[in-house]
Amino acid sequence: MKLKNLFIALLTSLIISSVIIGCSDDKPAPAAKSEKPFDPFDHSKDEKISEAEKDKFEKAFVEQCVKKEMLASPNADKARFTAPCTCIANELSKTLTAKEAEKFVDEGENPVSLTFKVESAGYQCLQEKTPPKDSGFTPVTPQ
């Protein structure tokens, strides 16, 4: 008898809860549509960076870049790495955002976006080298 009453109570509560949940007429509010969809590559609304901040970034970047290159090849001359590192820093400062500069200069971090820009700028700067001049030797052709 007790088991039968427990079963009826459980069945009744299940039916009532499913009816209450299933009959709700709450409709989600429609999302407010903005005029333009979000574009993660649109940096027109970002904070503008001042020339002083750019100069500070360039100086810090060149120091870090030369230091890393000197660690990689300790017998090399420091002046050898200064020009490419300066070129990379100049390329970076063209598209530098205030957040990237703040993270690099103040916090000493390298944001991922900056890492991608360094790769691209490095390619641009290091590929500017003119190809070696012709040695003057005539090529040997097999007979």
Side-chain angles (χ1 to χ4, degrees):
M1 191 73 166
K2 233 180 186 182
L3 188 61
K4 188 177 180 184
N5 287 342
L6 181 65
F7 180 70
I8 292 174
L10 182 64
L11 187 61
T12 306
S13 63
L14 255 162
I15 291 172
I16 291 173
S17 63
S18 64
V19 168
I20 291 174
I21 290 172
C23 291
S24 66
D25 59 343
D26 294 336
K27 293 180 181 176
K33 292 186 178 181
S34 61
E35 292 177 17
K36 293 182 183 177
F38 175 70
D39 183 12
F41 300 106
D42 181 22
H43 296 291
S44 61
K45 298 175 186 166
D46 289 347
E47 291 179 43
K48 301 297 180 197
I49 186 167
S50 67
E51 289 298 319
E53 286 292 319
K54 282 185 181 180
D55 291 340
K56 191 187 297 184
F57 168 79
E58 288 177 9
K59 183 178 177 187
F61 183 82
V62 169
E63 287 175 10
Q64 183 193 50
C65 177
V66 169
K67 191 182 296 182
K68 283 183 180 179
E69 294 298 326
M70 291 297 291
L71 287 174
S73 56
N75 295 333
D77 185 24
K78 185 177 181 177
R80 176 179 167 204
F81 301 119
T82 305
C85 289
T86 304
C87 176
I88 293 170
N90 289 337
E91 286 290 322
L92 287 177
S93 67
K94 291 177 184 175
T95 58
L96 187 68
T97 64
K99 288 182 182 180
E100 291 171 338
E102 179 185 348
K103 282 197 177 276
F104 187 83
V105 175
D106 298 337
E107 299 174 15
E109 294 179 10
N110 283 330
V112 175
S113 60
L114 192 61
T115 305
F116 290 138
K117 289 178 183 180
V118 168
E119 296 285 329
S120 176
Y123 180 78
Q124 293 286 333
C125 290
L126 299 177
Q127 294 302 317
E128 285 182 7
K129 306 277 190 238
T130 56
K133 292 182 180 178
D134 188 22
S135 62
F137 291 108
T138 54
V140 177
T141 54
Q143 295 179 357

